Structures are given as structure tokens and as C-alpha cells.
Amino acid sequence: MSEETATPMIDLQGIVLDYPSAAGGGAPLRVLHGVDLSVREGEVFGIIGRSGAGKSSLVRCINLLNRPTSGRVLVAGTDLTALPPEGLRAARRRIGMVFQHFNLLASRTVYGNVALPLELAGMGKADIRARVLPLLELVGLAELAGRYPAHISGGQKQRVGIARALASRPQVLLSDEATSALDPETTRSILALLQRINREMGLTIVLITHQIQVIRQTAQRVAVMEAGRIVEQGDVLDVFTRPQHATTRSLIDEVMPQTLPPGVCRRMAALRAELPHGHEGRLLRLLYAGEKAAQPLLSRLVRELGVDVNILHGQMDDIQGSTFGALAVLLSGPAVDVQSAMLALLSQGVQVRDVTASVMRDAAAAEAEEEESRV
């Protein structure tokens, strides 16, 4: 069975969620508006959005901590919304959850916190020990088993939370802003741990975050949320290199700016004004990914078509082992050659955005602003 036709591990169908009015008696607040979402077995799926977008409300529908007002929640083919209380409790044991603020019991040791869900499930002490010790080894806390939460770091507390979430041997792990309270270095280590868990245990992981860096480092596919709706979704590399929605572009701008600095705009405008008579200058933003990033496409254009290429701004990055990048260039030469060069780039799978008009406007605006400040 292909990936496209296989039954998804998580299937959300038409999820609507209303919260009661804070004033009481008023109209309920609708926070999710008919969300449809499928997560494949064994993948790391990211859900990203600004604060208030509805992403945490959505992830809590997956284990029915939030029961949808309407819609269906299927996990591993089971409709959780149709289960009686006892069946739902059993199903929830197959869904682990990691929280932003750790939710550890201060009165219990590291070992005791990880053992807690197994104790609640009635497991014997010997079996608990056989389950907990390997998990502490997995998350790198074997030597801290006897410490209390007050005596370990934030990153170590999150590792305890991850081990606890894995104790019941779930099929799905939900991570609700699990790294937002951590420093960048600790965040990277926690994300690397989640990737290892996904790789070695085949666990399906859903990451909720407002940090695009988390998606870039960890997820294979992503859904972008805004005002209780999914506005864009797809493979992470495709979404990064071909963002369609304004919210997506705004989020990606944090790691790969979608607009050019004013100084670059002015430099482009100045170079274009200095072109020889009869030469056309097009200001282009080139986006490329994967194998295209390693090919000498621009030098080939210069050699084969005789156009001039001035690289004025650029950035390279990596997503899940695939290189992607953006370049701002001035492509100049006889009009027919410039057009041929643009078509050649398109034929090689490079995204070509002609930003001549917008850059010239930005350059003029920046120049006017500077002139006004001097007056």
C-alpha cells in the first residue's frame, strides 16, 4: 500500500471546537473551524502558527483533552470520539504527550515521575523498573534517576517529560511547545532526541510550535495555522521554498527573509542605472532547493548566453539534509538574452521572481526617507 493510500495514523475530520463564553451565558467562542488533517504513520509532523492560531487547541483534540464540538478524531483507525470512557482511557495510553512546562511532580524523583503512569496502570514494581531504566538511558538521565525536579535543569526536566510520555509505549507522541521555554542549545538537543526517538522507535510525532526553526530542524511535513484554520500544508522543503500564504511567508521570514534590506535595494537600483545603452537589467530573486543548489547554473548562463550576473544578496540553509537557498541578482544584457536566461533558469527548476518594480519602489522610498532625515 502506498503512502498516499495507507490509513493515516492520525485523521482529523471536520474538527470544530467551541469554548464557553467567559462572561457566561454568552455565545461560545469558536477556536477551530472545521479542521481536516492527516498524519502518516512514523512521520514527524509539525503544526505551526502564531499565538492564538489554535494549534494547541487542535493538538489537544487528538487525545480528546479537548473534546471537539463536532467532527471525528481517528487514531490508528479508531474513532476516539465514539469510544465509551473506559475505551477512551485505554486509547489515551497509546498517545503520549510532552508539555511546555514539564508538569513534573516535585515530590517525586526523576525515576518516580517516569514510573507514575505505569503505577497508575497497575504494573508491578519489577516490570516498572524494567521499563523505566532503559527509558532513562535513552534520554540520557540514567545517572540522575534519584534526583528531584528542583535539582535538574530545564532541558533535563523536558527529558524526564519525554521519558514519562514514552513509558506506556505509545504509538503517537504529541509535543505541545515542548522547547519554547528552553534556550537555543538545549532546544537543539531536545529536537535531536525527538528525531532519534522517531528514527529508532518508529514513533509518529506531532510537534506544536510557534518557532519556524523547530519545523526546519525536525519535521518532515508541516501545517500552518491561522485563526483556527489550516491555511497551508505540505512537505517542509516545499513549504519553505514555495510559501503560498502570507502567514507562512511571515513565519519563514524569521529564518530566510523574503524581503531585501534597504541597502541592497539601493545598490541594485544604482547598478541598474549604470547599465550600457541598449542593455536591460532585471532584478531577480532566485529560489532553489535540493540538487539545483549544487549546480553552477549562474556561471553557465554567463558562459553560454553572455549575460552579466551580479549577486547582491544571498542565503543558504539546510532542511532535513536538503540544501535550499535564495539569491538576489541583477541579470543584465541585451533584452533577448536576459529573457532567454530567465527561461533557462525556470527550465532548470529554479523559482524566478522578477522584483524589479518593487525593488525600485523600495529604493526610491529609502532614498526619500534619507533625504527627509537630512532636512
Side-chain angles (χ1 to χ4, degrees), residues 9 53-54 78 81 86 112 114 132 139 141 164 189 194 199 212 227-229 232 237 284 322 328 344:
M9 175 58 73
T78 299
T81 53
E86 183 178 344
V114 179
V132 171
V139 300
L141 296 178
R164 180 184 58 191
S189 71
L194 292 175
R199 185 172 60 250
I212 196 68
R229 295 178 171 85
E232 187 165 355
L237 187 60
L284 308 178
S322 292

Short mmCIF file of all heavy atoms in Angstrom, two decimals, residues 9 53-54 78 81 86 112 114 132 139 141 164 189 194 199 212 227-229 232 237 284 322 328 344:
data_model
loop_
_atom_site.label_atom_id
_atom_site.label_comp_id
_atom_site.label_asym_id
_atom_site.label_seq_id
_atom_site.Cartn_x
_atom_site.Cartn_y
_atom_site.Cartn_z
N MET A 9 -2.08 7.49 10.53
CA MET A 9 -2.03 7.23 11.95
C MET A 9 -3.00 8.15 12.69
O MET A 9 -3.68 7.74 13.64
CB MET A 9 -0.61 7.42 12.47
CG MET A 9 -0.47 7.29 13.99
SD MET A 9 -1.03 5.69 14.65
CE MET A 9 0.31 4.63 14.08
N ALA A 53 -3.44 31.02 17.29
CA ALA A 53 -3.84 30.45 15.99
C ALA A 53 -4.72 29.22 16.15
O ALA A 53 -5.42 28.84 15.21
CB ALA A 53 -2.60 30.11 15.16
N GLY A 54 -4.67 28.57 17.32
CA GLY A 54 -5.49 27.38 17.55
C GLY A 54 -4.72 26.08 17.54
O GLY A 54 -5.30 25.00 17.66
N THR A 78 -8.99 4.02 14.96
CA THR A 78 -10.04 4.00 15.98
C THR A 78 -10.64 5.39 16.13
O THR A 78 -9.90 6.37 16.31
CB THR A 78 -9.49 3.53 17.33
OG1 THR A 78 -8.99 2.20 17.20
CG2 THR A 78 -10.57 3.55 18.40
N THR A 81 -13.71 9.69 19.26
CA THR A 81 -14.92 10.42 19.64
C THR A 81 -16.11 9.50 19.86
O THR A 81 -17.11 9.92 20.46
CB THR A 81 -15.27 11.47 18.57
OG1 THR A 81 -15.34 10.83 17.28
CG2 THR A 81 -14.21 12.56 18.51
N GLU A 86 -14.18 4.04 29.31
CA GLU A 86 -13.14 3.02 29.54
C GLU A 86 -12.31 2.80 28.29
O GLU A 86 -11.07 2.70 28.35
CB GLU A 86 -13.79 1.70 29.97
CG GLU A 86 -12.78 0.62 30.31
CD GLU A 86 -13.44 -0.66 30.79
OE1 GLU A 86 -14.63 -0.63 31.15
OE2 GLU A 86 -12.75 -1.71 30.80
N GLY A 112 10.71 8.31 39.71
CA GLY A 112 9.32 8.25 40.12
C GLY A 112 8.37 8.93 39.16
O GLY A 112 7.24 8.48 38.95
N VAL A 114 8.80 9.22 35.88
CA VAL A 114 8.66 8.37 34.69
C VAL A 114 7.81 7.14 35.00
O VAL A 114 7.04 6.66 34.16
CB VAL A 114 10.05 7.96 34.16
CG1 VAL A 114 9.92 7.04 32.95
CG2 VAL A 114 10.87 9.19 33.79
N VAL A 132 11.36 1.50 32.97
CA VAL A 132 11.82 2.87 33.23
C VAL A 132 13.32 3.03 33.00
O VAL A 132 13.76 4.02 32.39
CB VAL A 132 11.44 3.32 34.65
CG1 VAL A 132 12.12 4.65 35.01
CG2 VAL A 132 9.93 3.43 34.79
N VAL A 139 17.06 8.76 27.24
CA VAL A 139 17.01 10.23 27.28
C VAL A 139 18.23 10.83 27.98
O VAL A 139 18.30 12.05 28.18
CB VAL A 139 15.71 10.73 27.95
CG1 VAL A 139 14.49 10.24 27.18
CG2 VAL A 139 15.65 10.33 29.42
N LEU A 141 19.47 10.27 31.15
CA LEU A 141 19.30 10.65 32.55
C LEU A 141 19.50 9.49 33.52
O LEU A 141 19.07 9.57 34.68
CB LEU A 141 17.90 11.25 32.76
CG LEU A 141 17.58 12.54 32.03
CD1 LEU A 141 16.15 12.98 32.31
CD2 LEU A 141 18.56 13.65 32.42
N ARG A 164 8.67 9.96 30.42
CA ARG A 164 7.36 9.64 31.00
C ARG A 164 6.32 9.41 29.91
O ARG A 164 5.49 8.50 29.99
CB ARG A 164 6.92 10.78 31.91
CG ARG A 164 5.57 10.56 32.59
CD ARG A 164 5.17 11.77 33.40
NE ARG A 164 5.12 12.98 32.58
CZ ARG A 164 5.01 14.21 33.07
NH1 ARG A 164 4.98 14.40 34.38
NH2 ARG A 164 4.96 15.26 32.25
N SER A 189 19.19 20.12 21.32
CA SER A 189 19.44 18.78 21.86
C SER A 189 18.14 18.01 22.07
O SER A 189 18.08 16.80 21.82
CB SER A 189 20.22 18.87 23.18
OG SER A 189 19.42 19.38 24.23
N LEU A 194 14.19 13.89 19.94
CA LEU A 194 12.91 13.51 19.33
C LEU A 194 13.13 12.87 17.96
O LEU A 194 12.44 11.89 17.60
CB LEU A 194 12.01 14.73 19.20
CG LEU A 194 11.48 15.32 20.52
CD1 LEU A 194 10.69 16.59 20.26
CD2 LEU A 194 10.61 14.29 21.26
N ARG A 199 13.25 7.98 14.71
CA ARG A 199 14.03 7.11 13.82
C ARG A 199 14.15 5.69 14.38
O ARG A 199 13.96 4.70 13.66
CB ARG A 199 15.41 7.72 13.62
CG ARG A 199 16.30 6.99 12.63
CD ARG A 199 17.56 7.79 12.37
NE ARG A 199 18.35 8.01 13.59
CZ ARG A 199 18.48 9.19 14.19
NH1 ARG A 199 17.88 10.27 13.70
NH2 ARG A 199 19.21 9.32 15.29
N ILE A 212 9.71 28.62 13.81
CA ILE A 212 9.96 28.01 12.50
C ILE A 212 11.25 27.21 12.50
O ILE A 212 11.40 26.24 11.74
CB ILE A 212 9.98 29.11 11.40
CG1 ILE A 212 9.85 28.49 10.00
CG2 ILE A 212 11.22 29.98 11.52
CD1 ILE A 212 8.52 27.87 9.72
N ALA A 227 -5.94 31.67 12.85
CA ALA A 227 -7.33 31.91 13.26
C ALA A 227 -8.18 30.64 13.21
O ALA A 227 -9.32 30.66 12.73
CB ALA A 227 -7.95 33.00 12.39
N GLY A 228 -7.63 29.55 13.72
CA GLY A 228 -8.40 28.32 13.84
C GLY A 228 -8.56 27.52 12.58
O GLY A 228 -9.38 26.59 12.53
N ARG A 229 -7.79 27.86 11.55
CA ARG A 229 -7.86 27.14 10.28
C ARG A 229 -6.46 26.79 9.81
O ARG A 229 -5.49 27.49 10.12
CB ARG A 229 -8.55 27.99 9.20
CG ARG A 229 -10.01 28.29 9.47
CD ARG A 229 -10.60 29.18 8.38
NE ARG A 229 -12.04 29.32 8.49
CZ ARG A 229 -12.65 30.21 9.27
NH1 ARG A 229 -11.92 31.04 9.99
NH2 ARG A 229 -13.97 30.27 9.32
N GLU A 232 -2.18 26.42 5.07
CA GLU A 232 -1.21 25.86 4.13
C GLU A 232 -0.60 24.61 4.77
O GLU A 232 -0.39 24.55 5.98
CB GLU A 232 -0.11 26.87 3.82
CG GLU A 232 0.86 26.44 2.73
CD GLU A 232 1.69 27.60 2.20
OE1 GLU A 232 1.46 28.75 2.62
OE2 GLU A 232 2.58 27.34 1.37
N LEU A 237 10.17 21.14 2.92
CA LEU A 237 11.01 21.78 1.91
C LEU A 237 10.17 22.54 0.90
O LEU A 237 10.51 23.67 0.51
CB LEU A 237 11.87 20.73 1.20
CG LEU A 237 12.93 21.27 0.23
CD1 LEU A 237 13.92 22.17 0.96
CD2 LEU A 237 13.66 20.12 -0.46
N LEU A 284 16.19 40.04 -9.94
CA LEU A 284 15.54 38.75 -9.74
C LEU A 284 15.82 38.19 -8.35
O LEU A 284 16.91 38.35 -7.81
CB LEU A 284 16.01 37.74 -10.78
CG LEU A 284 15.93 38.14 -12.25
CD1 LEU A 284 16.49 37.04 -13.13
CD2 LEU A 284 14.49 38.46 -12.64
N SER A 322 18.47 18.48 2.87
CA SER A 322 18.34 19.09 1.55
C SER A 322 18.74 20.56 1.62
O SER A 322 18.25 21.29 2.48
CB SER A 322 16.90 18.98 1.03
OG SER A 322 16.56 17.64 0.77
N ALA A 328 19.54 37.16 -4.54
CA ALA A 328 19.06 38.37 -5.20
C ALA A 328 20.13 38.77 -6.20
O ALA A 328 21.28 39.00 -5.83
CB ALA A 328 18.82 39.48 -4.19
N ALA A 344 15.83 29.89 -19.11
CA ALA A 344 16.75 28.79 -18.83
C ALA A 344 16.73 28.42 -17.35
O ALA A 344 16.75 27.24 -16.98
CB ALA A 344 18.17 29.16 -19.26
#
